[in-house]
Amino acid sequence: MEFYEVLERRRTIRDFSGREVSDEILRRVIGAAFKAPTNDHLRQLEFVVVRGREDIARTIAPLAQNMEKFKTLVAEADESGDRDKMAMFADALPKQQKMLMESGLLIIPFFRQLTWPLLKPAEQSSLNYFASAWCAVENMLLAATAEGLGAVFHIPVSDEADRIKAIVHAPEDYEMACLLTIGYPAENAFLPKQKAIDTETRIHRNIW
């Protein structure tokens, strides 16, 4: 696909078919992560790939206990009253575990956190490694789209990150960015309505 077509087609997909993603495509998608800009030029990214619903269920077990906390967090954070946003959440909330299992492929991107603790930054630059990891994830989302795949990620809440790190035996000095699943969309996959943004109204020249 042409680049801007990929941007237009990228969507958060939470409904997957049972079709397996090949190792070749998986390598290309993960390979795209290493083309992203990175804080120290070393690209200290590592990926835990989990296949099969039984192994995925074991890996994401901490999510089950935190689902009520997650629902409360979302409800408390939303004051917009936006119908499109609420339609997205209405679809998303019941699927937080199901969506990570349906494709049969779970990817956990890890990045090396060498400076300040991730959740106790001293300044914005303390988050450079975290920002680099998310540049890598965005590359993966676009690569998945170019391959005809859908993708969705879950950002850990509460103690999920530490517990999942223990389950997959991740080193202490590595942090996980998210739980990411990619797969072939189901025929009836829900497509959240994208907000139409007039770019010109968001551009401030010289001053806000």
Side-chain angles (χ1 to χ4, degrees), residues 142-196:
L142 295 176
T145 302
E147 297 284 356
L149 302 169
V152 63
F153 57 79
H154 170 85
I155 298 174
V157 300
S158 189
D159 59 351
E160 289 173 3
D162 287 339
R163 293 177 63 191
I164 292 172
K165 282 177 63 177
I167 290 171
V168 300
H169 301 163
E172 187 64 32
D173 57 345
Y174 276 80
E175 298 290 346
M176 58 183 289
C178 62
L179 296 167
L180 171 67
T181 194
I182 62 174
Y184 292 96
E187 289 186 11
N188 61 344
F190 176 81
L191 294 179
K193 182 180 178 181
Q194 294 288 79
K195 283 293 183 187

Side-chain angles (χ1 to χ4, degrees), residues 64-195:
Q65 290 127 18
N66 287 338
M67 277 316 302
E68 287 307 316
K69 292 180 184 177
F70 182 72
K71 292 177 184 177
T72 301
L73 178 69
V74 170
E76 290 176 348
D78 183 63
E79 298 177 352
S80 66
D82 185 278
R83 290 184 179 182
D84 296 332
K85 179 179 179 181
M86 294 314 296
M88 181 275 292
F89 278 131
D91 176 74
L93 285 175
K95 296 179 179 176
Q96 288 303 300
Q97 294 164 268
K98 179 172 172 277
M99 69 187 189
L100 297 175
M101 295 178 65
E102 275 193 344
S103 76
L105 172 60
L106 176 68
I107 305 170
I108 312 178
F110 282 93
F111 61 97
R112 196 168 187 192
Q113 181 70 17
L114 292 177
T115 53
W116 299 90
L118 177 62
L119 300 182
K120 295 180 180 179
E123 56 189 22
Q124 278 186 280
S125 64
S126 305
L127 297 171
N128 283 351
Y129 292 99
F130 186 58
S132 297
W134 275 99
C135 288
V137 170
E138 176 67 5
N139 270 23
M140 294 172 68
L141 296 177
L142 295 176
T145 302
E147 297 284 356
L149 302 169
V152 63
F153 57 79
H154 170 85
I155 298 174
V157 300
S158 189
D159 59 351
E160 289 173 3
D162 287 339
R163 293 177 63 191
I164 292 172
K165 282 177 63 177
I167 290 171
V168 300
H169 301 163
E172 187 64 32
D173 57 345
Y174 276 80
E175 298 290 346
M176 58 183 289
C178 62
L179 296 167
L180 171 67
T181 194
I182 62 174
Y184 292 96
E187 289 186 11
N188 61 344
F190 176 81
L191 294 179
K193 182 180 178 181
Q194 294 288 79
K195 283 293 183 187

Side-chain angles (χ1 to χ4, degrees), residues 32-45 128-139:
F34 295 101
K35 304 300 181 184
T38 186
N39 175 50
D40 59 8
H41 204 63
L42 297 178
R43 292 174 170 81
Q44 297 186 83
L45 300 166
N128 283 351
Y129 292 99
F130 186 58
S132 297
W134 275 99
C135 288
V137 170
E138 176 67 5
N139 270 23

Side-chain angles (χ1 to χ4, degrees), residues 50 52-60 100-101 104-106:
V50 186
R53 294 191 178 191
E54 185 176 329
D55 287 328
I56 291 174
R58 176 184 56 82
T59 304
I60 68 171
L100 297 175
M101 295 178 65
L105 172 60
L106 176 68

